[in-house]
Amino acid sequence: MLPWRNAYPARTTKAAESVTGVATIPVSVAQLRVSLGAYALSDDGDVVESAREVEDVVVPLAHTEGGLTASVQRGAKAVELSGGFVTHVVADRITRASCFVCRDASDALTLARWIGSQVDDMRSFLRASESSELSRYAVLREAKTHVVGPMCHVLWRWTTGDAVGPNMMTRNSYALNMAYVLPNAPVPIERALLEANMGGDKKPSFEFFQSGHGKTVIAEATLTDEAIERVLRTTAADLDALSWAGTHGAVASGMQSVAFTPASAIAAVFAATGQDLGMVGTSSMAHGTGRRVDGGLHASIRFPGLEVGTVGGGTGLPTAHEWLTLMDCAGPGKVYRFAQLVAATALALEISASAAMATAGSENFFRAHFERGGLRH
Amino acid sequence: MLPWRNAYPARTTKAAESVTGVATIPVSVAQLRVSLGAYALSDDGDVVESAREVEDVVVPLAHTEGGLTASVQRGAKAVELSGGFVTHVVADRITRASCFVCRDASDALTLARWIGSQVDDMRSFLRASESSELSRYAVLREAKTHVVGPMCHVLWRWTTGDAVGPNMMTRNSYALNMAYVLPNAPVPIERALLEANMGGDKKPSFEFFQSGHGKTVIAEATLTDEAIERVLRTTAADLDALSWAGTHGAVASGMQSVAFTPASAIAAVFAATGQDLGMVGTSSMAHGTGRRVDGGLHASIRFPGLEVGTVGGGTGLPTAHEWLTLMDCAGPGKVYRFAQLVAATALALEISASAAMATAGSENFFRAHFERGGLRH
Amino acid sequence: MLPWRNAYPARTTKAAESVTGVATIPVSVAQLRVSLGAYALSDDGDVVESAREVEDVVVPLAHTEGGLTASVQRGAKAVELSGGFVTHVVADRITRASCFVCRDASDALTLARWIGSQVDDMRSFLRASESSELSRYAVLREAKTHVVGPMCHVLWRWTTGDAVGPNMMTRNSYALNMAYVLPNAPVPIERALLEANMGGDKKPSFEFFQSGHGKTVIAEATLTDEAIERVLRTTAADLDALSWAGTHGAVASGMQSVAFTPASAIAAVFAATGQDLGMVGTSSMAHGTGRRVDGGLHASIRFPGLEVGTVGGGTGLPTAHEWLTLMDCAGPGKVYRFAQLVAATALALEISASAAMATAGSENFFRAHFERGGLRH
Amino acid sequence: MLPWRNAYPARTTKAAESVTGVATIPVSVAQLRVSLGAYALSDDGDVVESAREVEDVVVPLAHTEGGLTASVQRGAKAVELSGGFVTHVVADRITRASCFVCRDASDALTLARWIGSQVDDMRSFLRASESSELSRYAVLREAKTHVVGPMCHVLWRWTTGDAVGPNMMTRNSYALNMAYVLPNAPVPIERALLEANMGGDKKPSFEFFQSGHGKTVIAEATLTDEAIERVLRTTAADLDALSWAGTHGAVASGMQSVAFTPASAIAAVFAATGQDLGMVGTSSMAHGTGRRVDGGLHASIRFPGLEVGTVGGGTGLPTAHEWLTLMDCAGPGKVYRFAQLVAATALALEISASAAMATAGSENFFRAHFERGGLRH
């Protein structure tokens, strides 16, 4: 009865305990022209750009939403005619949010100051450890403390190489909590909690929206009036009006993340490439902007935390690996490239979906959905 | 080079335009004991419970996170020893958020009052239409207006049967905008925008968190002290302390959705059963609670909007259909059952993950991740 | 030592227990041209407009911020040249948020459904009561329930005549909780809490921002290009650009209330007229918009909940009464008039302050503050 | 007709342009026992505690809310019996949020990096300036940049001595924008906006809630069971249950600031002491906690940004100066003392108001309001 087949390789069947089958999602592709930055982490943990090149890249999209791939492709085509996407990696940090419950705020404040003073030593402690439990890929960058009541919340901020890194930073954070903070703290600690919600791990929050969790990436494009008319069948004025109403609609409904439909694109690339689908919601937090400029419209989207990896997790699954390879994003040294391509894909969809909504009565959007409704009811 | 195989059936290859391959995700299963309500929509659009039965159900989880299925199973076992989950469907509405831009707020207010007075007629209009473009499954329930500046935002609220329904409500909303509101409005309308962000379609917002989008579901369980100790290896006092610190951590970081890790479970069930993965973020919006009671701890989670369907979208894919069948959730008449099972699965994970964090130093959590880190780096 | 003077009348010295002195704040005035609606509550609790008239009204501003009154006056002058403000009262509700803690969510849901079915009877119960503790001014309009965990939160929604009404609705809500709900509830109730934070009483929240608390009021004006240039020394294009950047700045910083500086105006009118200064924060929640139109710029501000009264509270203080009288807003039947004037005053300041910021480098703003810095350091 | 009297001194009549009268608010007092820290700013801008002393201080409260002063006093008495309040100043920063609009995100990112590299030089530039327009009290501490679209938002973070400092930091920020950034920027800047909403000036936001604006202060107290019973007429268990339900009610209603009623206390002290009443909403942003401990209950409140001054603004008004003098908070060197007393006063009210709500049916609260309803309707 179960859709289980012996044909699947061990990478698939051993990906989790008690695997008994698979889920298979169709994948279609779109092609994007992108000016990609070449980035590397500095010793201080800054993301530094060293070069920039325009490429045409094929992006895989796993989904069953009729019209979605066509919409991404349409947005990408309009941008290509306008000179291509430009993408930037702005920062790289991922956070495990521990919490130490003390007797009172006085003690919690003392602990917070002490933790602030120990970050260099903590880094050395982790580096010096011989424990096989610790990950060398997860490098402690900062420790942000936030005292409320008797709680000293600590956001351990890490870089994690080419993996998303939740497990490696969990192990290292745990080591800091248990082997560094607890034995050495200047005040008694009643409870040490490894995770107490401040960090944004699979949980959208304003902290996540502003300070990030994963790769902070901006994608932008300046659409020409001609591309807007020929490909998107609308005008810069219409797009501008939609952006205005949509931003105020977002405010009126209390969106923390103000954009049009980034989650559709994020989910589709994540599902194709073996990313953690539990991170679709957080990685889709975004801030989109639109602005008329001479001869067209500037559009951009800022992702505070794309939780992407090119090694680890599901990226080793056979299909994921093949799709990552298609993008030249498989394996070490590719994570900033991959993050930029995810952002550009999302911007392509933002542009096309907005265009569909921007015309009188959103007639285009309606037709797109009506004619290509696919499997939808 | 592409992982494309001719072996896939047409349901898969025609799910989207230009499908050129697949993504395959391993699926493992957990078993839950749940008191499920039998629900039906009343004529007024209320969700009414008619019966209730305890069942043991197998739930499929598609993911590559080592330890996740084991954690769900552990939570489910603790709840089973305590008498099982109890789940409730509270409401059912999905929203398309249109916006009419008028000359000024005076006109927008006039329009809003008029729309409020026309809902019955609009319903008749849709019912009477012969257009094949319109869906009979999408029934207009209410129209909530919100005027800000010259904008009259309208949240068209629908029920959509056993499908999630974005396409069907899009078509019907468009018909209302273009064929009912525009020709009959008592004031001039400058722009009619089919979607302007207030409705929550793939966009988490406070409006979504409070008023819902999809099925509003609550799952709960009262854990016994014995189950907490034997299965979860912690105590009610420890769980209570974690819940307290975690709720304040959520507040401190500006989470709209306050729970521990619902997205992991939502994503895993969605990926297995052909749900729209772009809705993982919104459907994971949740409000979890924990409270000590005599002899144990009451735990619950409220999902304001599980965007789930048992027909349409990806549910017709071969693997999705098989996994839905395993849960007895395939096809018409099953959507409230499915929504309850999704919520119960998420609560199982909340309980187990919280237990892992609740002990001194969260030692259990660390071990769980360390020993079963699976494919993670 | 204390600044106490026997000269103060009894209304002042008996305003609170143990009054031992006074605080005196200077008041200056501005004049506004406003198209004011005449409003009355319908039997169903809707605010209905019956007439509209343009008036020139003097508004008192109590504050020590150099330049503030001049700025309000400048904005008002620009609007006057453009035809005047137009104001609308959209709704009128104030809320006491009680909470009943039950055994579990099942019971809480049963209670919620029951409360929903009893609102008419509750209204009759309150009307029929002979208790001198109850207020006839506070009329129950709706009861919104929200179940999370074992809690059944209830937002008792009231109209309260010409007073703000926190005390009268507190008394009546208490009566409902203790004398109606507790004895008649279909499930056991463990705790009845009169206030549990959902209602917005002196606490800004998204619920407050969207659903209101007090009078929901919109003020608008369509500025002409000439008035913008002559009075505000800027252009519609500059104002539009500032509005765009400011709205995105608001989003980026997580403002729930998106406007420029409404609190300055709200506080100044409130302090002059004896309103509750603890409500300055909530009453300042606002949603401002700006939009270029042919020949100028449309500006508006929506206040979801102006918590204003023309009777009760501090409105009976001698100075407050005189200032209210100056506005023709003292006593019964004036509260909707007063609410509209508060909103218009705030919009005057929004326009002027925005204009000061909208020019290159915000030179005007700087000069305004520099030259009229008043008592500020 | 106007309540104008020649008797007022020039400090009052010249506080703003065109002063034509006054508003007079009755003031009552409460006495608090507080362990106050002695704090000073380090060269790096950290707030450093050098000593701590317990004092009994009288706090003035200007308001017309019957029962408010009595409630503050009751809370203070319970705390006094329990050993007194303990208060902490955690940080001191105030922000002017400027924005530079560039051609695109590429340029905005270049500008952001450049600004980050120039902070030391900017500080020197301000120090070296001979301009009488600049304030030496406002010291630039950091510049936080946030790029979204073509906007480079900059949060200029200042310390401002004993004044709140909006005018002085406005002048200095303007100087930086116009005389430093614009002439030296490495990219073209299209617009320099002095204020674009990210900073929290009179505008509550998550950024404000977490990072502060003014003095970040925590007040705490550990109530004994005896004090809870004798003075507050309730129990630690009841207070704990109220805190739990109230925190979840806050989450459910989307409060950014989670506390019970801080605005009442903040407004009353601000009105008495000449603080800017337009800052009541922001300064009332707070995060309150309650937690059972052996023998009682720990209660605390964190204010991220108390915008208080002991010089400048309205503090020079005759009545304000007298009330500040009563608290030993008038003039230079007193602002951290004053901030702590404001926080302790608010916590006194939190405790008392919570106690009133915590008992069965909140009977006490009802009586308090009913019997001492004062001027309220």
Side-chain angles (χ1 to χ4, degrees):
Chain A
M1 185 185 77
L2 292 182
W4 182 242
R5 289 167 187 87
N6 286 325
Y8 291 95
R11 281 304 288 203
T12 302
T13 59
K14 295 188 176 164
E17 58 278 18
S18 62
V19 169
T20 57
V22 298
T24 299
I25 306 173
V27 176
S28 43
V29 296
Q31 179 168 318
L32 283 68
R33 176 163 297 171
V34 191
S35 164
L36 290 159
Y39 291 96
L41 262 187
S42 75
D43 287 349
D44 292 342
D46 294 330
V47 182
V48 180
E49 182 177 320
S50 59
R52 179 164 286 280
E53 202 166 349
V54 176
E55 291 188 49
D56 292 306
V57 186
V58 174
V59 174
L61 301 161
H63 65 88
T64 58
E65 185 176 347
L68 176 57
T69 299
S71 190
V72 169
Q73 188 60 68
R74 186 174 78 133
K77 187 176 167 194
V79 172
E80 186 181 335
L81 281 183
S82 304
F85 296 94
V86 182
T87 54
H88 313 269
V89 181
V90 179
D92 183 1
R93 287 292 184 280
I94 198 158
T95 307
R96 176 60 63 200
S98 296
C99 179
F100 300 96
V101 182
C102 303
R103 193 185 45 188
D104 54 23
S106 303
D107 277 6
L109 286 165
T110 301
L111 179 61
R113 278 188 296 266
W114 178 79
I115 288 174
S117 74
Q118 299 291 308
V119 175
D120 284 343
D121 284 348
M122 288 172 173
R123 222 177 276 124
S124 306
F125 162 82
L126 289 172
R127 238 188 336 251
S129 166
E130 307 265 315
S131 166
S132 66
E133 297 190 3
L134 295 184
S135 165
R136 297 301 169 90
Y137 293 104
V139 178
L140 180 67
R141 299 297 179 173
E142 298 97 17
K144 174 184 170 180
T145 57
H146 185 91
V147 171
V148 57
M151 291 165 273
C152 176
H153 290 271
V154 184
L155 280 74
W156 302 115
R157 294 196 187 273
W158 307 88
T159 53
T160 53
D162 295 289
V164 176
N167 285 345
M168 64 171 83
M169 73 167 173
T170 296
R171 285 196 294 271
N172 288 17
S173 297
Y174 181 75
L176 287 176
N177 292 354
M178 302 299 281
Y180 195 106
V181 176
L182 279 184
N184 299 310
V187 294
I189 291 173
E190 294 190 9
R191 287 177 184 276
L193 303 164
L194 182 46
E195 167 67 35
N197 274 351
M198 276 199 75
D201 186 14
K202 298 189 184 171
K203 283 166 282 196
S205 67
F206 187 79
E207 167 75 24
F208 187 109
F209 179 61
Q210 198 173 74
S211 304
H213 192 260
K215 318 311 177 201
T216 305
V217 183
I218 295 177
E220 64 179 332
T222 304
L223 294 160
T224 63
D225 283 327
E226 193 199 343
I228 294 171
E229 191 188 331
R230 276 184 44 200
V231 182
L232 302 175
R233 306 287 176 196
T234 182
T235 67
D238 285 337
L239 287 170
D240 193 49
L242 185 273
S243 176
W244 178 79
T247 302
H248 281 293
V251 167
S253 68
M255 287 174 65
Q256 286 183 320
S257 179
V258 177
F260 215 64
T261 186
S264 299
I266 298 295
V269 182
F270 272 36
T273 59
Q275 308 301 310
D276 189 333
L277 295 171
M279 292 172 165
V280 163
T282 39
S283 284
S284 298
M285 293 202 92
H287 190 160
T289 68
R291 179 181 176 236
R292 292 189 72 174
V293 293
D294 270 356
L297 184 116
H298 179 264
S300 80
I301 191 160
R302 177 186 188 269
F303 288 98
L306 287 175
E307 295 148 310
V308 290
T310 56
V311 301
T315 63
L317 290 176
T319 54
H321 190 261
E322 287 181 73
W323 293 118
L324 283 168
T325 301
L326 177 72
M327 304 168 75
D328 189 17
C329 288
K334 300 293 189 184
V335 73
Y336 295 136
R337 173 187 175 86
F338 182 54
Q340 292 175 78
L341 289 172
V342 172
T345 305
L347 182 55
L349 181 61
E350 290 290 288
I351 287 170
S352 179
S354 297
M357 295 291 181
T359 42
S362 300
E363 201 164 336
N364 293 346
F365 173 83
F366 175 64
R367 286 191 186 143
H369 274 251
F370 179 64
E371 293 171 3
R372 301 201 194 83
L375 293 179
R376 280 289 170 77
H377 232 246
Chain B
M1 186 185 73
L2 291 182
W4 182 241
R5 288 167 188 86
N6 287 323
Y8 291 95
R11 279 306 286 204
T12 302
T13 60
K14 294 186 176 166
E17 57 279 19
S18 62
V19 169
T20 55
V22 298
T24 299
I25 307 174
V27 175
S28 44
V29 296
Q31 180 169 316
L32 282 68
R33 176 163 296 172
V34 191
S35 164
L36 289 159
Y39 291 96
L41 261 188
S42 76
D43 287 348
D44 292 343
D46 293 331
V47 182
V48 180
E49 183 177 320
S50 58
R52 179 163 286 281
E53 201 165 351
V54 176
E55 291 187 50
D56 291 307
V57 186
V58 173
V59 175
L61 301 161
H63 65 89
T64 58
E65 186 178 346
L68 176 58
T69 300
S71 190
V72 169
Q73 189 59 70
R74 186 173 78 132
K77 187 176 168 194
V79 172
E80 185 182 334
L81 281 182
S82 304
F85 296 94
V86 182
T87 54
H88 314 268
V89 181
V90 179
D92 183 1
R93 287 293 184 279
I94 198 158
T95 306
R96 176 58 64 201
S98 296
C99 178
F100 301 96
V101 182
C102 303
R103 192 184 45 187
D104 54 23
S106 304
D107 277 6
L109 287 165
T110 301
L111 180 61
R113 277 187 297 266
W114 178 79
I115 288 174
S117 73
Q118 300 290 307
V119 175
D120 285 342
D121 284 349
M122 287 172 174
R123 223 178 275 124
S124 308
F125 162 82
L126 289 173
R127 238 188 337 250
S129 167
E130 306 266 315
S131 165
S132 66
E133 297 191 4
L134 295 184
S135 165
R136 298 302 167 90
Y137 294 103
V139 179
L140 180 67
R141 299 297 180 172
E142 297 96 16
K144 174 185 171 179
T145 57
H146 185 91
V147 171
V148 56
M151 292 166 273
C152 176
H153 290 271
V154 184
L155 281 72
W156 303 116
R157 294 196 187 276
W158 308 87
T159 53
T160 52
D162 295 290
V164 175
N167 284 346
M168 64 172 82
M169 73 168 174
T170 296
R171 284 197 296 269
N172 288 16
S173 298
Y174 180 75
L176 287 176
N177 292 355
M178 302 298 282
Y180 194 107
V181 176
L182 279 184
N184 300 310
V187 295
I189 291 173
E190 293 190 10
R191 287 176 184 276
L193 303 165
L194 182 47
E195 166 67 35
N197 274 351
M198 276 200 76
D201 186 14
K202 299 189 184 170
K203 284 165 281 195
S205 67
F206 186 79
E207 167 75 24
F208 186 110
F209 179 61
Q210 198 173 73
S211 303
H213 191 261
K215 319 310 178 200
T216 305
V217 183
I218 295 177
E220 64 179 332
T222 303
L223 294 160
T224 63
D225 283 328
E226 193 197 344
I228 295 171
E229 192 188 331
R230 277 185 43 202
V231 182
L232 302 175
R233 306 287 175 195
T234 182
T235 67
D238 284 338
L239 286 169
D240 192 49
L242 186 274
S243 176
W244 177 80
T247 302
H248 281 293
V251 167
S253 69
M255 287 173 65
Q256 287 183 319
S257 179
V258 177
F260 215 63
T261 187
S264 299
I266 298 297
V269 182
F270 272 37
T273 59
Q275 307 301 311
D276 189 333
L277 295 171
M279 293 172 165
V280 163
T282 39
S283 285
S284 298
M285 292 203 93
H287 190 161
T289 67
R291 179 181 176 236
R292 292 188 72 174
V293 293
D294 270 355
L297 184 116
H298 179 264
S300 80
I301 191 160
R302 176 185 188 271
F303 288 99
L306 287 175
E307 295 147 310
V308 290
T310 57
V311 301
T315 63
L317 291 175
T319 54
H321 190 261
E322 287 181 75
W323 293 117
L324 283 169
T325 300
L326 176 73
M327 303 168 76
D328 189 17
C329 290
K334 300 293 189 185
V335 73
Y336 294 136
R337 174 186 175 87
F338 182 54
Q340 291 174 79
L341 290 172
V342 173
T345 305
L347 182 55
L349 182 60
E350 290 290 288
I351 287 170
S352 178
S354 296
M357 294 291 182
T359 42
S362 301
E363 202 164 336
N364 293 346
F365 172 84
F366 174 64
R367 286 191 187 143
H369 274 251
F370 179 64
E371 292 172 3
R372 302 203 194 82
L375 292 180
R376 282 288 170 79
H377 233 248
Chain C
M1 186 185 74
L2 292 182
W4 182 241
R5 288 168 186 85
N6 286 325
Y8 290 95
R11 281 303 288 204
T12 302
T13 60
K14 294 187 177 164
E17 58 279 18
S18 63
V19 169
T20 57
V22 298
T24 299
I25 306 173
V27 175
S28 43
V29 297
Q31 179 169 317
L32 283 67
R33 175 161 298 170
V34 191
S35 164
L36 290 159
Y39 291 96
L41 260 188
S42 75
D43 287 348
D44 292 343
D46 293 331
V47 181
V48 180
E49 183 177 320
S50 58
R52 179 163 287 280
E53 202 166 349
V54 175
E55 289 187 50
D56 291 307
V57 186
V58 173
V59 174
L61 302 161
H63 66 89
T64 58
E65 185 176 346
L68 176 58
T69 300
S71 190
V72 170
Q73 189 59 70
R74 186 173 78 131
K77 187 175 167 196
V79 172
E80 185 181 335
L81 281 183
S82 306
F85 296 95
V86 181
T87 54
H88 314 269
V89 181
V90 179
D92 183 1
R93 287 295 183 279
I94 197 158
T95 306
R96 176 58 65 200
S98 297
C99 178
F100 301 97
V101 183
C102 303
R103 192 185 44 185
D104 53 23
S106 304
D107 277 6
L109 286 166
T110 301
L111 180 61
R113 278 188 296 265
W114 178 78
I115 288 174
S117 72
Q118 300 290 308
V119 175
D120 285 343
D121 284 349
M122 288 172 173
R123 223 178 274 123
S124 305
F125 162 82
L126 290 172
R127 240 189 335 253
S129 166
E130 306 266 316
S131 164
S132 66
E133 296 190 5
L134 295 184
S135 165
R136 298 300 168 93
Y137 293 104
V139 179
L140 180 67
R141 299 296 179 173
E142 297 97 18
K144 174 186 170 179
T145 57
H146 185 91
V147 172
V148 57
M151 293 166 272
C152 177
H153 290 271
V154 184
L155 280 73
W156 303 115
R157 295 195 185 275
W158 308 88
T159 54
T160 53
D162 295 291
V164 176
N167 284 346
M168 64 171 83
M169 73 167 171
T170 296
R171 284 197 295 270
N172 288 17
S173 298
Y174 181 75
L176 287 177
N177 292 354
M178 302 298 282
Y180 194 105
V181 176
L182 278 184
N184 300 311
V187 293
I189 291 174
E190 293 191 10
R191 288 177 182 277
L193 303 164
L194 183 46
E195 166 67 34
N197 274 351
M198 275 201 75
D201 187 14
K202 298 189 185 172
K203 284 165 283 197
S205 67
F206 187 80
E207 166 76 23
F208 186 109
F209 179 61
Q210 197 173 73
S211 303
H213 192 260
K215 318 310 177 203
T216 305
V217 183
I218 295 177
E220 64 178 331
T222 303
L223 294 160
T224 63
D225 282 328
E226 193 197 343
I228 293 171
E229 190 188 333
R230 277 185 44 201
V231 182
L232 302 175
R233 304 287 175 197
T234 182
T235 66
D238 285 337
L239 287 169
D240 192 48
L242 185 275
S243 176
W244 178 79
T247 302
H248 282 292
V251 167
S253 68
M255 287 174 64
Q256 287 182 319
S257 178
V258 177
F260 215 63
T261 187
S264 300
I266 298 295
V269 181
F270 272 36
T273 59
Q275 307 302 309
D276 189 333
L277 295 171
M279 292 172 166
V280 163
T282 39
S283 285
S284 298
M285 291 202 95
H287 190 161
T289 67
R291 179 180 175 237
R292 292 190 72 175
V293 293
D294 269 355
L297 184 116
H298 178 265
S300 80
I301 192 161
R302 176 186 188 270
F303 287 99
L306 287 175
E307 295 147 310
V308 291
T310 57
V311 302
T315 64
L317 292 174
T319 53
H321 190 262
E322 287 182 74
W323 292 117
L324 283 169
T325 301
L326 177 72
M327 303 168 77
D328 190 16
C329 289
K334 300 293 189 187
V335 74
Y336 295 136
R337 174 186 174 86
F338 183 54
Q340 291 172 80
L341 290 171
V342 172
T345 305
L347 182 55
L349 181 60
E350 290 290 287
I351 288 170
S352 179
S354 295
M357 294 291 180
T359 42
S362 301
E363 202 164 336
N364 293 345
F365 173 84
F366 174 65
R367 286 193 187 141
H369 275 250
F370 179 64
E371 291 171 4
R372 302 202 195 82
L375 292 180
R376 282 289 171 78
H377 232 246
Chain D
M1 186 185 73
L2 292 183
W4 182 242
R5 287 168 188 86
N6 287 326
Y8 290 95
R11 281 303 288 204
T12 302
T13 60
K14 294 187 177 165
E17 58 278 19
S18 64
V19 169
T20 56
V22 298
T24 299
I25 306 173
V27 176
S28 44
V29 297
Q31 180 168 316
L32 283 67
R33 176 162 297 170
V34 190
S35 164
L36 289 158
Y39 291 96
L41 261 188
S42 75
D43 287 348
D44 292 343
D46 294 330
V47 182
V48 179
E49 183 177 320
S50 58
R52 178 163 287 280
E53 202 166 351
V54 175
E55 290 188 50
D56 293 305
V57 186
V58 173
V59 175
L61 301 161
H63 65 88
T64 59
E65 185 177 345
L68 176 58
T69 300
S71 189
V72 170
Q73 189 59 69
R74 186 173 77 133
K77 189 177 167 194
V79 172
E80 186 182 335
L81 281 183
S82 305
F85 295 95
V86 181
T87 54
H88 314 268
V89 181
V90 178
D92 182 2
R93 287 293 183 280
I94 198 157
T95 306
R96 176 60 63 201
S98 296
C99 179
F100 301 96
V101 182
C102 303
R103 192 185 45 186
D104 54 23
S106 304
D107 277 6
L109 287 165
T110 301
L111 180 61
R113 278 187 296 266
W114 178 79
I115 288 174
S117 73
Q118 300 290 308
V119 175
D120 285 342
D121 284 349
M122 288 171 173
R123 222 178 274 124
S124 305
F125 163 82
L126 290 172
R127 239 188 336 254
S129 166
E130 306 265 315
S131 165
S132 66
E133 298 188 4
L134 295 184
S135 166
R136 298 301 168 92
Y137 293 104
V139 178
L140 180 67
R141 299 296 180 174
E142 298 97 17
K144 174 185 170 178
T145 57
H146 185 91
V147 171
V148 57
M151 293 166 271
C152 177
H153 291 271
V154 184
L155 281 74
W156 302 116
R157 296 195 184 276
W158 307 89
T159 54
T160 53
D162 295 290
V164 175
N167 284 346
M168 64 173 81
M169 73 167 172
T170 296
R171 284 197 295 271
N172 288 17
S173 298
Y174 181 75
L176 287 177
N177 293 353
M178 302 299 280
Y180 195 106
V181 176
L182 278 184
N184 300 309
V187 293
I189 291 173
E190 294 190 9
R191 289 176 183 276
L193 303 164
L194 184 44
E195 167 67 35
N197 274 351
M198 275 201 76
D201 187 14
K202 299 188 183 173
K203 283 165 284 197
S205 67
F206 186 80
E207 166 77 23
F208 187 110
F209 179 61
Q210 196 173 75
S211 303
H213 192 259
K215 318 308 178 202
T216 305
V217 183
I218 295 176
E220 63 179 330
T222 303
L223 295 159
T224 63
D225 284 326
E226 192 197 344
I228 293 171
E229 190 188 333
R230 276 186 43 202
V231 182
L232 302 175
R233 306 287 177 197
T234 182
T235 66
D238 285 337
L239 287 169
D240 192 48
L242 185 275
S243 176
W244 178 79
T247 302
H248 282 293
V251 167
S253 68
M255 288 174 64
Q256 286 183 320
S257 178
V258 177
F260 215 65
T261 187
S264 300
I266 297 296
V269 182
F270 271 36
T273 59
Q275 307 301 310
D276 190 334
L277 295 171
M279 291 172 166
V280 163
T282 38
S283 285
S284 298
M285 292 201 94
H287 190 161
T289 67
R291 179 181 175 237
R292 292 189 72 175
V293 293
D294 270 355
L297 184 115
H298 179 265
S300 81
I301 192 161
R302 177 185 187 270
F303 287 100
L306 287 175
E307 294 146 311
V308 291
T310 57
V311 302
T315 64
L317 291 175
T319 54
H321 190 261
E322 287 181 74
W323 293 118
L324 282 169
T325 301
L326 176 72
M327 303 168 77
D328 189 18
C329 289
K334 300 293 188 186
V335 73
Y336 294 136
R337 173 186 174 87
F338 182 55
Q340 291 173 80
L341 291 171
V342 172
T345 305
L347 182 55
L349 181 61
E350 290 289 289
I351 288 170
S352 179
S354 296
M357 294 292 181
T359 43
S362 302
E363 203 164 336
N364 293 345
F365 172 85
F366 174 65
R367 287 193 186 140
H369 274 251
F370 179 65
E371 292 171 4
R372 299 202 196 83
L375 292 180
R376 281 289 171 78
H377 232 247

